[in-house]
Amino acid sequence: MEDYTPENQEEDDDLYEHYAFTAEKGQQPLRIDKYLMNFIENATRNKIQAAAKNGNIYVNDSPVKSNYKVKPFDKIRVLFEHPPYEYLLTPENIPLDIVYEDDDLLVVNKEAGMVVHPGHGNYSGTLINALIYHFDNLPNNSSNRPGLVHRIDKDTSGLLVIAKNEETMAHLSKQFFDKTSEREYVALVWGNIEEDEGTIEGNIGRHPKNRLQNTVFEGDEADKGKPAVTHYKVLERLGYVTLVSCKLETGRTHQIRVHMKHIGHTLFNDERYGGEKILKGTTFTKYKQFVDNCFKVLPRQALHAKTLGFEHPKTGKMLRFDSEIPEDMQACIEKWRQYSKHQADE
């Protein structure tokens, strides 16, 4: 499957492309309404069937009905008369935590809960809505998103660099592509990681059954994902959980969350990947209450983009920024410290 990038946007008799997919070479015959449900978030079969009935679903540039069987290499497009909502950007006066700014770029410390860019179900209150309020003429990236060089998940906190002009956007994007930028995250994960440090390599792609998750593809299926490399180092062992530092060599969607789950250490309270359940520990009611209290203190996945380093596109100087672990995550870590200390004393 290829992701659609809006730089290829074309208007078809006032129709706007909302989605575009290319079926893989191994695609088995599958009704198009079922196929699209695997790739479009929040889609229902009724909505897809209605779109087909209205002539909004095209395969190889011809409209098809909902019972059309998708074949390998089919080029599928979903077109509507209105532009995609995520490109109807509204400036919003949302305060930003700016840790550095000059004429070419800025570094923002994003709080957990803020979506980086508009998308399905989140058309306001995003980082981009705030950026276009505070800054004029931000350059678009290849996905038509102003200023964005990279992104972090909604419930991940931490540092992001924003480009203010085309030259900076191109230079920074190349650094991220060439893996010369530095990105370190701190995560609290389930279980006691045996090795003090290690490297996780595994191609990451969309989960075949759960379209909201990504997963690691190995062996004969490796070509279903994109190469991804995460280096981890244990910072602190806290009994049934471990505090780790993760350095990214690549920047795949949900990379740390997927890689840590792959090695059996799902992020603490990562609901999308099953970390909101008790994955390690005892069956005692008291322990369950303790973990529930930790979930309340930290109602999101325990992941923070702590360090960001890159070469300044104009000066050539290496810039490195470090951010404090947010209070909610610190409070949760402290609870585990006290718990593991208490266990060791018994």
Side-chain angles (χ1 to χ4, degrees):
M1 185 200 91
E2 290 174 358
D3 286 327
Y4 154 69
T5 51
E7 60 195 7
N8 303 324
Q9 178 77 54
E10 292 176 7
E11 290 187 22
D12 281 5
D13 300 327
D14 293 320
L15 288 178
Y16 295 85
E17 188 173 83
H18 283 231
Y19 304 97
F21 307 106
T22 300
E24 294 177 350
K25 63 182 178 183
Q27 177 65 47
Q28 298 294 314
L30 181 68
R31 281 178 59 117
I32 195 159
D33 51 359
K34 286 188 175 179
Y35 177 91
L36 288 173
M37 277 189 70
N38 289 324
F39 293 111
I40 301 177
E41 210 170 319
N42 300 330
T44 64
R45 202 157 167 195
N46 283 347
K47 280 184 185 173
I48 293 168
Q49 288 173 346
K53 191 177 178 182
N54 293 330
N56 296 116
I57 299 176
Y58 286 68
V59 175
N60 305 324
D61 295 324
S62 297
V64 296
K65 294 182 177 173
S66 54
N67 62 356
Y68 173 84
K69 296 280 178 66
V70 176
K71 299 186 294 297
F73 304 114
D74 272 351
K75 294 198 177 300
I76 300 154
R77 303 170 72 205
V78 183
L79 308 167
F80 290 106
E81 289 179 1
H82 59 87
Y85 292 119
E86 59 187 281
Y87 304 119
L88 302 175
L89 293 173
T90 309
E92 293 178 47
N93 186 6
I94 302 165
L96 292 170
D97 181 4
I98 297 171
V99 297
Y100 174 84
E101 183 182 0
D102 62 25
D103 291 343
D104 300 295
L105 56 88
L106 63 141
V107 175
V108 174
N109 191 15
K110 184 189 84 69
E111 63 182 29
M114 178 184 251
V115 176
V116 170
H117 59 74
H120 309 291
N122 293 294
Y123 300 114
S124 64
T126 75
L127 179 64
I128 282 187
N129 293 110
L131 287 171
I132 61 172
Y133 177 89
H134 294 287
F135 302 97
D136 294 327
N137 304 317
L138 289 174
N140 280 345
N141 66 11
S142 62
S143 299
N144 270 8
R145 286 165 180 153
L148 281 197
V149 178
H150 60 128
R151 58 180 290 276
I152 55 179
D153 298 329
K154 173 188 174 186
D155 288 325
T156 300
S157 52
L159 297 173
L160 285 162
V161 61
I162 309 296
K164 284 187 175 181
N165 53 57
E166 299 285 354
E167 297 78 13
T168 302
M169 173 70 77
H171 197 294
L172 288 172
S173 296
K174 188 173 189 304
Q175 288 185 55
F176 276 76
F177 182 78
D178 292 342
K179 306 170 188 170
T180 57
S181 60
E182 181 193 345
R183 283 172 290 167
E184 184 205 2
Y185 290 69
V186 173
L188 187 69
V189 302
W190 279 108
N192 181 26
I193 300 178
E194 288 182 15
E195 301 82 9
D196 287 337
E197 54 188 85
T199 296
I200 309 164
E201 294 186 59
N203 288 15
I204 290 177
R206 196 186 289 264
H207 197 292
K209 292 199 171 82
N210 184 341
R211 62 188 185 276
L212 301 182
Q213 284 188 7
N214 282 346
T215 191
V216 170
F217 290 98
E218 296 176 306
D220 294 342
E221 292 193 317
D223 62 350
K224 290 183 179 177
K226 292 179 180 176
V229 181
T230 305
H231 305 285
Y232 70 84
K233 189 174 183 180
V234 170
L235 299 175
E236 198 172 351
R237 299 180 188 280
L238 299 167
Y240 300 125
V241 296
T242 306
L243 191 65
V244 290
S245 157
C246 294
K247 288 194 174 177
L248 293 185
E249 209 174 285
T250 51
R252 308 299 173 208
T253 302
H254 300 172
Q255 181 170 317
I256 292 171
R257 300 164 71 182
V258 172
H259 268 172
M260 294 312 294
K261 178 172 182 172
H262 181 64
I263 64 164
H265 296 284
T266 304
L267 263 63
F268 186 77
N269 209 12
D270 187 350
E271 187 177 355
R272 185 165 291 193
Y273 288 92
E276 86 289 8
K277 302 180 185 76
I278 295 177
L279 299 181
K280 297 287 177 186
T282 73
T283 54
F284 297 134
T285 308
K286 200 173 176 185
Y287 176 71
K288 185 180 180 300
Q289 286 173 343
F290 163 75
V291 175
D292 282 345
N293 285 335
C294 289
F295 288 156
K296 282 175 187 159
V297 166
L298 182 72
R300 63 178 179 102
Q301 70 256 11
L303 185 61
H304 175 65
K306 190 175 190 302
T307 305
L308 180 62
F310 53 86
E311 182 187 293
H312 193 287
K314 285 278 170 67
T315 66
K317 183 183 172 189
M318 195 67 191
L319 299 180
R320 191 172 183 276
F321 302 94
D322 193 70
S323 60
E324 289 287 319
I325 294 171
E327 286 180 10
D328 59 353
M329 197 165 156
Q330 287 210 43
C332 181
I333 294 165
E334 189 53 40
K335 274 184 169 295
W336 277 104
R337 273 193 194 118
Q338 295 303 322
Y339 182 84
S340 59
K341 185 172 177 289
H342 178 69
Q343 292 297 102
D345 290 343
E346 283 187 351

